[in-house]
Amino acid sequence: MALSDYEVKDTEYVILEDASGVAIIGDDGKPIIVEIYSPGTKQYAKAEARRNAITIERLRKKGRIEVSEEQEALEAANFLADCSKSVSENMKSWFPGKEGRELLVAMYSYRPIGFIKDQISTVLRDWANFTKSSTSN
């Protein structure tokens, strides 16, 4: 077998699920899907480097890593947005006026649907979700 046989895909599609594990359906009757970058991509590496730089800068400036809940939630949302390539169009109606990265940050930082943030974080942590034979949902 060649080394390339073991390489992971660059992205994976994740069907969002509610807190009960049921697919979240948009106003158009279709599941809401997020496409995320694998840990093997430059996009993921850049997002991780950005997150680490924020922590190091905070430690340098304040001498400690502690942050408020709001700041921690925003930083987590930004990391996940950086790791997300796209979200299906049917999510837009729930966050009027938001598109692209701004929509992703809004979705990941909205606490009443925090299970979405948790779902995407869980998928990102497992390289097996990005193997050529995998499907996350």
Side-chain angles (χ1 to χ4, degrees):
M1 292 187 82
L3 179 60
S4 61
D5 294 333
Y6 297 100
E7 293 177 0
V8 295
K9 297 183 290 186
D10 286 343
T11 64
E12 180 61 72
Y13 293 97
V14 180
I15 297 171
L16 296 182
E17 297 175 348
D18 67 15
S20 301
V22 176
I24 298 174
I25 306 301
D27 294 340
D28 61 358
K30 296 178 183 174
I32 297 177
I33 299 171
V34 178
E35 184 178 10
I36 57 175
Y37 292 107
S38 81
T41 60
K42 289 180 181 180
Q43 293 87 345
Y44 183 93
K46 185 177 177 182
E48 198 167 46
R50 179 176 181 247
R51 179 173 59 177
N52 291 339
I54 290 169
T55 301
I56 290 167
E57 182 64 16
R58 182 180 305 115
L59 183 59
R60 189 183 69 73
K61 280 185 175 179
K62 297 181 181 180
R64 55 187 161 83
I65 298 178
E66 299 163 14
V67 294
S68 68
E69 280 183 36
E70 294 80 19
Q71 186 62 33
E72 186 176 345
L74 184 58
E75 288 174 12
N78 276 295
F79 173 73
L80 293 176
D82 289 344
C83 293
S84 299
K85 185 173 183 179
S86 64
V87 63
S88 52
E89 293 288 317
N90 54 354
M91 177 58 90
K92 286 183 181 180
S93 66
W94 294 349
F95 294 93
K98 308 249 189 254
E99 292 192 29
R101 189 175 192 293
E102 187 180 22
L103 173 61
L104 290 163
V105 170
M107 177 182 74
Y108 290 133
S109 63
Y110 188 57
R111 289 189 188 276
I113 57 170
F115 47 83
I116 291 174
K117 172 184 66 75
D118 293 346
Q119 179 187 5
I120 297 299
S121 294
T122 299
V123 173
L124 280 170
R125 280 192 297 271
D126 189 351
W127 284 76
N129 291 318
F130 299 93
T131 58
K132 292 177 181 168
S133 62
S134 76
T135 54
S136 291
N137 297 89

